[in-house]
PDB file of all heavy atoms in Angstrom:
ATOM      1  N   MET E   1     -25.794  -7.883  10.956  1.00 96.00           N
ATOM      2  CA  MET E   1     -24.617  -6.978  11.148  1.00 96.00           C
ATOM      3  C   MET E   1     -23.323  -7.720  11.008  1.00 96.00           C
ATOM      4  O   MET E   1     -22.343  -7.185  10.702  1.00 96.00           O
ATOM      5  CB  MET E   1     -24.801  -6.353  12.646  1.00 96.00           C
ATOM      6  CG  MET E   1     -25.941  -5.522  12.834  1.00 96.00           C
ATOM      7  SD  MET E   1     -26.258  -4.943  14.454  1.00 96.00           S
ATOM      8  CE  MET E   1     -24.793  -3.777  14.696  1.00 96.00           C
ATOM      9  N   GLN E   2     -23.419  -9.100  11.345  1.00 96.00           N
ATOM     10  CA  GLN E   2     -22.343  -9.854  11.156  1.00 96.00           C
ATOM     11  C   GLN E   2     -22.214 -10.521   9.723  1.00 96.00           C
ATOM     12  O   GLN E   2     -21.129 -10.666   9.157  1.00 96.00           O
ATOM     13  CB  GLN E   2     -22.258 -10.927  12.212  1.00 96.00           C
ATOM     14  CG  GLN E   2     -22.150 -10.430  13.723  1.00 96.00           C
ATOM     15  CD  GLN E   2     -22.543 -11.453  14.717  1.00 96.00           C
ATOM     16  OE1 GLN E   2     -21.686 -12.300  15.028  1.00 96.00           O
ATOM     17  NE2 GLN E   2     -23.830 -11.550  15.114  1.00 96.00           N
ATOM     18  N   TYR E   3     -23.334 -10.980   9.285  1.00 94.00           N
ATOM     19  CA  TYR E   3     -23.313 -11.682   8.044  1.00 94.00           C
ATOM     20  C   TYR E   3     -23.095 -10.822   6.847  1.00 94.00           C
ATOM     21  O   TYR E   3     -22.454 -11.410   5.851  1.00 94.00           O
ATOM     22  CB  TYR E   3     -24.715 -12.391   7.893  1.00 94.00           C
ATOM     23  CG  TYR E   3     -24.819 -13.624   7.111  1.00 94.00           C
ATOM     24  CD1 TYR E   3     -24.025 -14.680   7.506  1.00 94.00           C
ATOM     25  CD2 TYR E   3     -25.389 -13.767   5.853  1.00 94.00           C
ATOM     26  CE1 TYR E   3     -23.878 -15.923   6.712  1.00 94.00           C
ATOM     27  CE2 TYR E   3     -25.440 -14.954   5.266  1.00 94.00           C
ATOM     28  CZ  TYR E   3     -24.611 -15.907   5.600  1.00 94.00           C
ATOM     29  OH  TYR E   3     -24.628 -17.140   4.906  1.00 94.00           O
ATOM     30  N   GLY E   4     -23.363  -9.561   6.873  1.00 93.00           N
ATOM     31  CA  GLY E   4     -23.059  -8.745   5.776  1.00 93.00           C
ATOM     32  C   GLY E   4     -21.496  -8.531   5.468  1.00 93.00           C
ATOM     33  O   GLY E   4     -21.192  -8.888   4.387  1.00 93.00           O
ATOM     34  N   PRO E   5     -20.666  -8.278   6.504  1.00 93.00           N
ATOM     35  CA  PRO E   5     -19.286  -8.093   6.243  1.00 93.00           C
ATOM     36  C   PRO E   5     -18.551  -9.503   6.405  1.00 93.00           C
ATOM     37  O   PRO E   5     -17.363  -9.557   6.009  1.00 93.00           O
ATOM     38  CB  PRO E   5     -18.872  -7.183   7.384  1.00 93.00           C
ATOM     39  CG  PRO E   5     -19.840  -7.574   8.459  1.00 93.00           C
ATOM     40  CD  PRO E   5     -21.064  -7.730   7.827  1.00 93.00           C
ATOM     41  N   GLN E   6     -19.283 -10.542   6.692  1.00 94.00           N
ATOM     42  CA  GLN E   6     -18.598 -11.813   7.020  1.00 94.00           C
ATOM     43  C   GLN E   6     -17.840 -12.431   5.862  1.00 94.00           C
ATOM     44  O   GLN E   6     -16.643 -12.856   5.973  1.00 94.00           O
ATOM     45  CB  GLN E   6     -19.515 -12.798   7.564  1.00 94.00           C
ATOM     46  CG  GLN E   6     -18.999 -14.224   7.995  1.00 94.00           C
ATOM     47  CD  GLN E   6     -20.016 -15.103   8.489  1.00 94.00           C
ATOM     48  OE1 GLN E   6     -20.528 -15.842   7.740  1.00 94.00           O
ATOM     49  NE2 GLN E   6     -20.393 -15.067   9.741  1.00 94.00           N
ATOM     50  N   ALA E   7     -18.362 -12.387   4.656  1.00 91.00           N
ATOM     51  CA  ALA E   7     -17.672 -13.003   3.476  1.00 91.00           C
ATOM     52  C   ALA E   7     -16.448 -12.287   3.166  1.00 91.00           C
ATOM     53  O   ALA E   7     -15.377 -12.963   3.037  1.00 91.00           O
ATOM     54  CB  ALA E   7     -18.673 -12.818   2.299  1.00 91.00           C
ATOM     55  N   ALA E   8     -16.428 -11.010   3.237  1.00 90.00           N
ATOM     56  CA  ALA E   8     -15.111 -10.301   2.962  1.00 90.00           C
ATOM     57  C   ALA E   8     -14.090 -10.539   4.081  1.00 90.00           C
ATOM     58  O   ALA E   8     -12.911 -10.760   3.953  1.00 90.00           O
ATOM     59  CB  ALA E   8     -15.318  -8.756   2.748  1.00 90.00           C
ATOM     60  N   LEU E   9     -14.620 -10.503   5.305  1.00 92.00           N
ATOM     61  CA  LEU E   9     -13.703 -10.642   6.439  1.00 92.00           C
ATOM     62  C   LEU E   9     -13.009 -11.999   6.460  1.00 92.00           C
ATOM     63  O   LEU E   9     -11.747 -12.129   6.748  1.00 92.00           O
ATOM     64  CB  LEU E   9     -14.566 -10.536   7.768  1.00 92.00           C
ATOM     65  CG  LEU E   9     -13.897 -10.685   9.136  1.00 92.00           C
ATOM     66  CD1 LEU E   9     -12.832  -9.567   9.263  1.00 92.00           C
ATOM     67  CD2 LEU E   9     -14.877 -10.841  10.232  1.00 92.00           C
ATOM     68  N   ILE E  10     -13.689 -13.052   6.128  1.00 92.00           N
ATOM     69  CA  ILE E  10     -13.145 -14.377   6.043  1.00 92.00           C
ATOM     70  C   ILE E  10     -12.266 -14.572   4.838  1.00 92.00           C
ATOM     71  O   ILE E  10     -11.110 -15.065   4.905  1.00 92.00           O
ATOM     72  CB  ILE E  10     -14.183 -15.526   6.191  1.00 92.00           C
ATOM     73  CG1 ILE E  10     -14.970 -15.417   7.611  1.00 92.00           C
ATOM     74  CG2 ILE E  10     -13.631 -16.773   5.935  1.00 92.00           C
ATOM     75  CD1 ILE E  10     -15.963 -16.478   7.759  1.00 92.00           C
ATOM     76  N   ALA E  11     -12.855 -14.179   3.641  1.00 89.00           N
ATOM     77  CA  ALA E  11     -12.196 -14.538   2.412  1.00 89.00           C
ATOM     78  C   ALA E  11     -10.951 -13.712   2.203  1.00 89.00           C
ATOM     79  O   ALA E  11      -9.838 -14.269   1.624  1.00 89.00           O
ATOM     80  CB  ALA E  11     -13.211 -14.259   1.246  1.00 89.00           C
ATOM     81  N   GLU E  12     -10.794 -12.538   2.661  1.00 88.00           N
ATOM     82  CA  GLU E  12      -9.689 -11.779   2.651  1.00 88.00           C
ATOM     83  C   GLU E  12      -8.373 -12.340   3.489  1.00 88.00           C
ATOM     84  O   GLU E  12      -7.312 -11.765   3.385  1.00 88.00           O
ATOM     85  CB  GLU E  12      -9.963 -10.374   2.917  1.00 88.00           C
ATOM     86  CG  GLU E  12     -10.630  -9.571   1.895  1.00 88.00           C
ATOM     87  CD  GLU E  12     -10.824  -8.065   2.199  1.00 88.00           C
ATOM     88  OE1 GLU E  12     -10.795  -7.747   3.364  1.00 88.00           O
ATOM     89  OE2 GLU E  12     -11.057  -7.307   1.180  1.00 88.00           O
ATOM     90  N   SER E  13      -8.744 -13.240   4.349  1.00 88.00           N
ATOM     91  CA  SER E  13      -7.768 -13.837   5.166  1.00 88.00           C
ATOM     92  C   SER E  13      -6.825 -14.887   4.493  1.00 88.00           C
ATOM     93  O   SER E  13      -5.943 -15.383   5.037  1.00 88.00           O
ATOM     94  CB  SER E  13      -8.293 -14.388   6.450  1.00 88.00           C
ATOM     95  OG  SER E  13      -9.080 -13.457   7.167  1.00 88.00           O
ATOM     96  N   PHE E  14      -7.273 -15.257   3.185  1.00 89.00           N
ATOM     97  CA  PHE E  14      -6.582 -16.253   2.433  1.00 89.00           C
ATOM     98  C   PHE E  14      -6.190 -15.710   1.044  1.00 89.00           C
ATOM     99  O   PHE E  14      -6.885 -14.957   0.440  1.00 89.00           O
ATOM    100  CB  PHE E  14      -7.556 -17.389   2.326  1.00 89.00           C
ATOM    101  CG  PHE E  14      -7.963 -18.033   3.613  1.00 89.00           C
ATOM    102  CD1 PHE E  14      -9.124 -17.673   4.164  1.00 89.00           C
ATOM    103  CD2 PHE E  14      -7.297 -18.972   4.228  1.00 89.00           C
ATOM    104  CE1 PHE E  14      -9.573 -18.076   5.459  1.00 89.00           C
ATOM    105  CE2 PHE E  14      -7.649 -19.555   5.404  1.00 89.00           C
ATOM    106  CZ  PHE E  14      -8.789 -19.047   6.086  1.00 89.00           C
ATOM    107  N   PRO E  15      -5.037 -16.240   0.562  1.00 87.00           N
ATOM    108  CA  PRO E  15      -4.481 -15.696  -0.731  1.00 87.00           C
ATOM    109  C   PRO E  15      -5.382 -16.356  -1.900  1.00 87.00           C
ATOM    110  O   PRO E  15      -6.089 -17.330  -1.656  1.00 87.00           O
ATOM    111  CB  PRO E  15      -3.083 -16.204  -0.854  1.00 87.00           C
ATOM    112  CG  PRO E  15      -3.073 -17.411   0.148  1.00 87.00           C
ATOM    113  CD  PRO E  15      -4.026 -17.062   1.219  1.00 87.00           C
ATOM    114  N   THR E  16      -5.380 -15.844  -3.012  1.00 85.00           N
ATOM    115  CA  THR E  16      -6.179 -16.281  -4.283  1.00 85.00           C
ATOM    116  C   THR E  16      -6.093 -17.756  -4.445  1.00 85.00           C
ATOM    117  O   THR E  16      -7.165 -18.380  -4.528  1.00 85.00           O
ATOM    118  CB  THR E  16      -5.927 -15.464  -5.428  1.00 85.00           C
ATOM    119  OG1 THR E  16      -6.096 -14.121  -5.220  1.00 85.00           O
ATOM    120  CG2 THR E  16      -6.816 -15.844  -6.543  1.00 85.00           C
ATOM    121  N   ARG E  17      -4.910 -18.273  -4.424  1.00 86.00           N
ATOM    122  CA  ARG E  17      -4.743 -19.689  -4.908  1.00 86.00           C
ATOM    123  C   ARG E  17      -5.208 -20.615  -3.893  1.00 86.00           C
ATOM    124  O   ARG E  17      -5.281 -21.896  -4.024  1.00 86.00           O
ATOM    125  CB  ARG E  17      -3.279 -19.888  -5.245  1.00 86.00           C
ATOM    126  CG  ARG E  17      -2.291 -19.749  -4.178  1.00 86.00           C
ATOM    127  CD  ARG E  17      -0.862 -19.904  -4.712  1.00 86.00           C
ATOM    128  NE  ARG E  17       0.162 -19.661  -3.726  1.00 86.00           N
ATOM    129  CZ  ARG E  17       0.769 -18.528  -3.380  1.00 86.00           C
ATOM    130  NH1 ARG E  17       0.233 -17.458  -4.039  1.00 86.00           N
ATOM    131  NH2 ARG E  17       1.563 -18.431  -2.421  1.00 86.00           N
ATOM    132  N   ARG E  18      -5.544 -20.152  -2.594  1.00 90.00           N
ATOM    133  CA  ARG E  18      -6.005 -21.020  -1.655  1.00 90.00           C
ATOM    134  C   ARG E  18      -7.334 -20.487  -1.000  1.00 90.00           C
ATOM    135  O   ARG E  18      -7.760 -20.954   0.074  1.00 90.00           O
ATOM    136  CB  ARG E  18      -4.996 -21.147  -0.389  1.00 90.00           C
ATOM    137  CG  ARG E  18      -3.733 -21.936  -0.889  1.00 90.00           C
ATOM    138  CD  ARG E  18      -2.766 -22.340   0.192  1.00 90.00           C
ATOM    139  NE  ARG E  18      -2.347 -21.173   1.006  1.00 90.00           N
ATOM    140  CZ  ARG E  18      -1.149 -20.474   0.617  1.00 90.00           C
ATOM    141  NH1 ARG E  18      -0.555 -20.870  -0.425  1.00 90.00           N
ATOM    142  NH2 ARG E  18      -0.784 -19.510   1.328  1.00 90.00           N
ATOM    143  N   ARG E  19      -7.940 -19.487  -1.658  1.00 91.00           N
ATOM    144  CA  ARG E  19      -9.046 -18.805  -1.012  1.00 91.00           C
ATOM    145  C   ARG E  19     -10.337 -19.675  -0.987  1.00 91.00           C
ATOM    146  O   ARG E  19     -10.981 -19.661   0.083  1.00 91.00           O
ATOM    147  CB  ARG E  19      -9.338 -17.550  -1.856  1.00 91.00           C
ATOM    148  CG  ARG E  19     -10.502 -16.717  -1.291  1.00 91.00           C
ATOM    149  CD  ARG E  19     -10.548 -15.263  -1.978  1.00 91.00           C
ATOM    150  NE  ARG E  19      -9.293 -14.589  -1.455  1.00 91.00           N
ATOM    151  CZ  ARG E  19      -8.723 -13.709  -2.220  1.00 91.00           C
ATOM    152  NH1 ARG E  19      -9.072 -13.676  -3.570  1.00 91.00           N
ATOM    153  NH2 ARG E  19      -7.636 -13.038  -1.892  1.00 91.00           N
ATOM    154  N   TYR E  20     -10.673 -20.330  -1.955  1.00 90.00           N
ATOM    155  CA  TYR E  20     -11.887 -21.209  -2.067  1.00 90.00           C
ATOM    156  C   TYR E  20     -11.743 -22.348  -0.959  1.00 90.00           C
ATOM    157  O   TYR E  20     -12.667 -22.470  -0.081  1.00 90.00           O
ATOM    158  CB  TYR E  20     -11.964 -21.837  -3.441  1.00 90.00           C
ATOM    159  CG  TYR E  20     -13.427 -22.525  -3.671  1.00 90.00           C
ATOM    160  CD1 TYR E  20     -13.845 -22.460  -4.942  1.00 90.00           C
ATOM    161  CD2 TYR E  20     -14.131 -23.076  -2.730  1.00 90.00           C
ATOM    162  CE1 TYR E  20     -15.062 -22.922  -5.372  1.00 90.00           C
ATOM    163  CE2 TYR E  20     -15.418 -23.642  -3.128  1.00 90.00           C
ATOM    164  CZ  TYR E  20     -15.846 -23.581  -4.327  1.00 90.00           C
ATOM    165  OH  TYR E  20     -17.089 -24.138  -4.755  1.00 90.00           O
ATOM    166  N   SER E  21     -10.533 -22.942  -0.772  1.00 91.00           N
ATOM    167  CA  SER E  21     -10.288 -23.931   0.183  1.00 91.00           C
ATOM    168  C   SER E  21     -10.374 -23.337   1.659  1.00 91.00           C
ATOM    169  O   SER E  21     -11.165 -23.835   2.546  1.00 91.00           O
ATOM    170  CB  SER E  21      -8.990 -24.607   0.049  1.00 91.00           C
ATOM    171  OG  SER E  21      -9.009 -25.383  -1.173  1.00 91.00           O
ATOM    172  N   GLY E  22      -9.618 -22.262   1.821  1.00 90.00           N
ATOM    173  CA  GLY E  22      -9.504 -21.695   3.200  1.00 90.00           C
ATOM    174  C   GLY E  22     -10.810 -21.112   3.675  1.00 90.00           C
ATOM    175  O   GLY E  22     -11.204 -21.307   4.866  1.00 90.00           O
ATOM    176  N   ALA E  23     -11.402 -20.154   2.868  1.00 91.00           N
ATOM    177  CA  ALA E  23     -12.659 -19.547   3.299  1.00 91.00           C
ATOM    178  C   ALA E  23     -13.741 -20.532   3.452  1.00 91.00           C
ATOM    179  O   ALA E  23     -14.453 -20.393   4.409  1.00 91.00           O
ATOM    180  CB  ALA E  23     -12.962 -18.448   2.176  1.00 91.00           C
ATOM    181  N   GLY E  24     -13.850 -21.425   2.575  1.00 90.00           N
ATOM    182  CA  GLY E  24     -14.939 -22.404   2.716  1.00 90.00           C
ATOM    183  C   GLY E  24     -14.735 -23.332   3.860  1.00 90.00           C
ATOM    184  O   GLY E  24     -15.730 -23.566   4.623  1.00 90.00           O
ATOM    185  N   LEU E  25     -13.609 -23.760   4.166  1.00 92.00           N
ATOM    186  CA  LEU E  25     -13.320 -24.722   5.252  1.00 92.00           C
ATOM    187  C   LEU E  25     -13.543 -23.916   6.587  1.00 92.00           C
ATOM    188  O   LEU E  25     -14.234 -24.404   7.531  1.00 92.00           O
ATOM    189  CB  LEU E  25     -11.936 -25.266   5.334  1.00 92.00           C
ATOM    190  CG  LEU E  25     -11.638 -26.322   6.291  1.00 92.00           C
ATOM    191  CD1 LEU E  25     -12.549 -27.479   6.170  1.00 92.00           C
ATOM    192  CD2 LEU E  25     -10.164 -26.816   6.187  1.00 92.00           C
ATOM    193  N   GLY E  26     -12.966 -22.723   6.697  1.00 91.00           N
ATOM    194  CA  GLY E  26     -13.223 -21.887   8.008  1.00 91.00           C
ATOM    195  C   GLY E  26     -14.686 -21.619   8.255  1.00 91.00           C
ATOM    196  O   GLY E  26     -15.185 -21.858   9.292  1.00 91.00           O
ATOM    197  N   TYR E  27     -15.338 -21.245   7.229  1.00 91.00           N
ATOM    198  CA  TYR E  27     -16.813 -20.909   7.349  1.00 91.00           C
ATOM    199  C   TYR E  27     -17.619 -22.136   7.664  1.00 91.00           C
ATOM    200  O   TYR E  27     -18.388 -22.046   8.608  1.00 91.00           O
ATOM    201  CB  TYR E  27     -17.197 -20.413   5.991  1.00 91.00           C
ATOM    202  CG  TYR E  27     -18.658 -20.016   5.907  1.00 91.00           C
ATOM    203  CD1 TYR E  27     -19.234 -18.739   6.257  1.00 91.00           C
ATOM    204  CD2 TYR E  27     -19.683 -20.906   5.582  1.00 91.00           C
ATOM    205  CE1 TYR E  27     -20.528 -18.420   6.250  1.00 91.00           C
ATOM    206  CE2 TYR E  27     -21.034 -20.550   5.420  1.00 91.00           C
ATOM    207  CZ  TYR E  27     -21.419 -19.274   5.728  1.00 91.00           C
ATOM    208  OH  TYR E  27     -22.733 -18.887   5.683  1.00 91.00           O
ATOM    209  N   GLN E  28     -17.341 -23.220   7.097  1.00 89.00           N
ATOM    210  CA  GLN E  28     -18.159 -24.433   7.270  1.00 89.00           C
ATOM    211  C   GLN E  28     -17.802 -25.243   8.609  1.00 89.00           C
ATOM    212  O   GLN E  28     -18.694 -26.010   9.080  1.00 89.00           O
ATOM    213  CB  GLN E  28     -18.105 -25.414   6.112  1.00 89.00           C
ATOM    214  CG  GLN E  28     -18.569 -24.752   4.786  1.00 89.00           C
ATOM    215  CD  GLN E  28     -20.076 -24.274   4.727  1.00 89.00           C
ATOM    216  OE1 GLN E  28     -20.762 -24.511   5.810  1.00 89.00           O
ATOM    217  NE2 GLN E  28     -20.489 -23.785   3.723  1.00 89.00           N
ATOM    218  N   LEU E  29     -16.689 -25.093   9.080  1.00 90.00           N
ATOM    219  CA  LEU E  29     -16.252 -25.772  10.356  1.00 90.00           C
ATOM    220  C   LEU E  29     -17.164 -25.287  11.563  1.00 90.00           C
ATOM    221  O   LEU E  29     -17.483 -26.191  12.370  1.00 90.00           O
ATOM    222  CB  LEU E  29     -14.854 -25.580  10.694  1.00 90.00           C
ATOM    223  CG  LEU E  29     -13.809 -26.508  10.120  1.00 90.00           C
ATOM    224  CD1 LEU E  29     -12.397 -26.071  10.493  1.00 90.00           C
ATOM    225  CD2 LEU E  29     -14.034 -27.925  10.379  1.00 90.00           C
ATOM    226  N   ALA E  30     -17.661 -24.104  11.406  1.00 89.00           N
ATOM    227  CA  ALA E  30     -18.469 -23.696  12.423  1.00 89.00           C
ATOM    228  C   ALA E  30     -19.873 -24.442  12.464  1.00 89.00           C
ATOM    229  O   ALA E  30     -20.540 -24.462  13.527  1.00 89.00           O
ATOM    230  CB  ALA E  30     -18.863 -22.132  12.168  1.00 89.00           C
ATOM    231  N   SER E  31     -20.173 -25.014  11.357  1.00 83.00           N
ATOM    232  CA  SER E  31     -21.487 -25.776  11.436  1.00 83.00           C
ATOM    233  C   SER E  31     -21.391 -26.963  12.315  1.00 83.00           C
ATOM    234  O   SER E  31     -22.488 -27.351  12.795  1.00 83.00           O
ATOM    235  CB  SER E  31     -21.672 -26.155   9.896  1.00 83.00           C
ATOM    236  OG  SER E  31     -21.778 -25.230   8.972  1.00 83.00           O
ATOM    237  N   VAL E  32     -20.215 -27.516  12.635  1.00 84.00           N
ATOM    238  CA  VAL E  32     -20.140 -28.609  13.460  1.00 84.00           C
ATOM    239  C   VAL E  32     -20.490 -28.303  14.969  1.00 84.00           C
ATOM    240  O   VAL E  32     -21.179 -29.076  15.589  1.00 84.00           O
ATOM    241  CB  VAL E  32     -18.664 -29.243  13.243  1.00 84.00           C
ATOM    242  CG1 VAL E  32     -18.547 -30.454  14.256  1.00 84.00           C
ATOM    243  CG2 VAL E  32     -18.493 -29.612  11.813  1.00 84.00           C
ATOM    244  N   PHE E  33     -20.020 -27.246  15.323  1.00 86.00           N
ATOM    245  CA  PHE E  33     -20.115 -27.011  16.766  1.00 86.00           C
ATOM    246  C   PHE E  33     -21.075 -25.706  16.973  1.00 86.00           C
ATOM    247  O   PHE E  33     -21.400 -25.433  18.299  1.00 86.00           O
ATOM    248  CB  PHE E  33     -18.733 -26.601  17.404  1.00 86.00           C
ATOM    249  CG  PHE E  33     -17.906 -25.671  16.798  1.00 86.00           C
ATOM    250  CD1 PHE E  33     -18.216 -24.274  17.128  1.00 86.00           C
ATOM    251  CD2 PHE E  33     -16.937 -25.875  15.937  1.00 86.00           C
ATOM    252  CE1 PHE E  33     -17.508 -23.247  16.400  1.00 86.00           C
ATOM    253  CE2 PHE E  33     -16.205 -24.906  15.333  1.00 86.00           C
ATOM    254  CZ  PHE E  33     -16.316 -23.600  15.506  1.00 86.00           C
ATOM    255  N   ALA E  34     -21.478 -25.073  16.058  1.00 87.00           N
ATOM    256  CA  ALA E  34     -22.405 -23.902  16.200  1.00 87.00           C
ATOM    257  C   ALA E  34     -23.726 -24.083  15.670  1.00 87.00           C
ATOM    258  O   ALA E  34     -24.806 -24.372  16.290  1.00 87.00           O
ATOM    259  CB  ALA E  34     -21.714 -22.666  15.624  1.00 87.00           C
ATOM    260  N   GLY E  35     -23.942 -23.994  14.343  1.00 80.00           N
ATOM    261  CA  GLY E  35     -25.209 -24.103  13.759  1.00 80.00           C
ATOM    262  C   GLY E  35     -25.858 -25.437  13.838  1.00 80.00           C
ATOM    263  O   GLY E  35     -27.133 -25.492  14.222  1.00 80.00           O
ATOM    264  N   GLY E  36     -25.143 -26.555  13.579  1.00 78.00           N
ATOM    265  CA  GLY E  36     -25.885 -27.857  13.629  1.00 78.00           C
ATOM    266  C   GLY E  36     -26.365 -28.151  15.091  1.00 78.00           C
ATOM    267  O   GLY E  36     -27.585 -28.622  15.168  1.00 78.00           O
ATOM    268  N   PRO E  37     -25.737 -28.041  16.154  1.00 85.00           N
ATOM    269  CA  PRO E  37     -26.130 -28.503  17.381  1.00 85.00           C
ATOM    270  C   PRO E  37     -27.045 -27.421  18.061  1.00 85.00           C
ATOM    271  O   PRO E  37     -27.723 -27.871  19.085  1.00 85.00           O
ATOM    272  CB  PRO E  37     -24.784 -28.593  18.244  1.00 85.00           C
ATOM    273  CG  PRO E  37     -23.678 -28.546  17.302  1.00 85.00           C
ATOM    274  CD  PRO E  37     -24.208 -27.795  16.091  1.00 85.00           C
TER     275      PRO E  37
END
């Protein structure tokens, strides 16, 4: 229920010229304190 809309929810928060950087960094930072541990 979260993972389906998650890509659009995060990626739309950043403009095109910074979208890859912003969406990828925000998404992957969670790995440090959420998924990994």
